[in-house]
Amino acid sequence: MIISLIVAIAKNGVIGRASGQMPWHVKDEFKHFKNTTLGFSIIMGRKTFETLGKPLKGRLNIVVSRNQNYKTDFEEVVIKSSLQSAIDYCKELNPEKIFIIGGGEIFKQSIPLADEMIITFMKFDAEGEIKYPEFDSKQWKIEKIMDHELFEVFRYERKK
């Protein structure tokens, strides 16, 4: 099972606001996200899920929350108490790949576990307090997979 992180990062490192909101709305970047993750399990933190407001269609939505009593109004959403228990749950389903979609704290925990990262670099700065965690780029083989007017997408594959 490939553990893949997918994230969009502004030029100044911002990935979100403390409120959980996305600091931009770029339709083609959202389309890239949807096309990449459709049909796969997605793991996210509680704040990220609450920002979305509902499960993303065509994907198994798994929410990580330390709150043992956390519930959603959506029966199809799986809730796990840790990132590792969410990953273990996915392993039982034996998928080809899973995607970790944020937020900041979940990314921080998952970078050491990731086999790949699909990173969209936005071509502008954004307002926000949440930044993507630093990582050692020497551990990754990098290829550009898309160039767009407002962003570029790169695939980072962990070196063996």
Side-chain angles (χ1 to χ4, degrees), residues 12-77:
N12 57 346
V14 169
I15 63 170
R17 295 190 176 117
S19 64
Q21 297 300 114
M22 281 291 293
W24 58 80
H25 185 88
V26 176
K27 194 174 176 181
D28 287 340
E29 202 285 320
F30 288 143
K31 199 159 112 183
H32 153 70
F33 173 87
K34 180 180 180 179
N35 291 341
T36 305
T37 61
L38 204 58
F40 294 99
S41 295
I42 54 173
I43 297 173
M44 69 198 91
R46 175 191 55 79
K47 289 180 196 167
T48 299
F49 176 72
E50 289 176 353
T51 298
L52 296 172
K54 63 181 191 247
L56 296 179
K57 291 180 182 163
R59 291 153 276 208
L60 172 61
N61 289 244
I62 303 167
V63 176
V64 176
S65 174
R66 288 186 287 259
N67 177 353
Q68 300 292 329
N69 300 315
Y70 183 72
K71 301 268 185 279
T72 76
D73 293 336
F74 306 95
E75 288 179 25
E76 68 272 28
V77 173

Side-chain angles (χ1 to χ4, degrees), residues 5 7 9 12-15 104-105 107-112 117 119 121 130-140 156 158:
L5 278 55
V7 63
I9 306 172
N12 57 346
V14 169
I15 63 170
E105 189 56 42
F107 283 136
K108 195 180 297 179
Q109 294 174 38
S110 60
I111 289 173
M117 298 186 289
I119 301 179
F121 289 102
I130 312 300
K131 296 198 174 204
Y132 194 69
E134 290 186 23
F135 61 92
D136 182 0
S137 62
K138 293 190 282 289
Q139 294 181 7
W140 303 88
Y156 285 64
R158 190 177 295 279

Side-chain angles (χ1 to χ4, degrees), residues 73-88:
D73 293 336
F74 306 95
E75 288 179 25
E76 68 272 28
V77 173
V78 175
I79 300 168
K80 293 293 175 184
S81 60
S82 70
L83 176 62
Q84 191 58 57
S85 64
I87 291 170
D88 291 344

